[in-house]
Amino acid sequence: METRNVGIRWIKLLLDPGVSCRPIREDRILAEAMASRGDAKRLHDMSGLSINARLRYTNVVDHPGFDSA
């Protein structure tokens, strides 16, 4: 079996019309922030986010209004 990166066209073919990749990516990054307990370096390594973007996700981890369950 061959493994390699997929392109945006392949992803769009799998999604229903009108569904954007952006919310899926944001959800994945948030899940990683929760799993890593807000490890900003891990988020950067995974997604290449800027410092400000990483802080937006890591600040959610300990936010009192966020229910992770």
Side-chain angles (χ1 to χ4, degrees), residues 25-37 43 57:
R25 181 174 190 263
E26 291 170 350
D27 186 61
R28 178 65 188 108
I29 294 169
L30 181 57
E32 188 64 29
M34 299 300 294
S36 69
R37 297 185 178 157
L43 288 179
Y57 286 99

Side-chain angles (χ1 to χ4, degrees), residues 10-69:
W10 183 83
I11 293 170
K12 285 186 175 188
L13 288 172
L14 292 177
L15 296 176
D16 290 331
V19 174
S20 169
C21 295
R22 186 180 186 128
I24 296 169
R25 181 174 190 263
E26 291 170 350
D27 186 61
R28 178 65 188 108
I29 294 169
L30 181 57
E32 188 64 29
M34 299 300 294
S36 69
R37 297 185 178 157
D39 185 343
K41 178 154 180 12
R42 188 165 160 183
L43 288 179
H44 172 71
D45 292 344
M46 183 193 89
S47 61
L49 293 173
S50 69
I51 292 171
N52 288 337
R54 283 182 271 168
L55 289 176
R56 284 195 305 267
Y57 286 99
T58 57
N59 287 338
V60 171
V61 174
D62 294 322
H63 192 277
F66 186 76
D67 180 15
S68 62

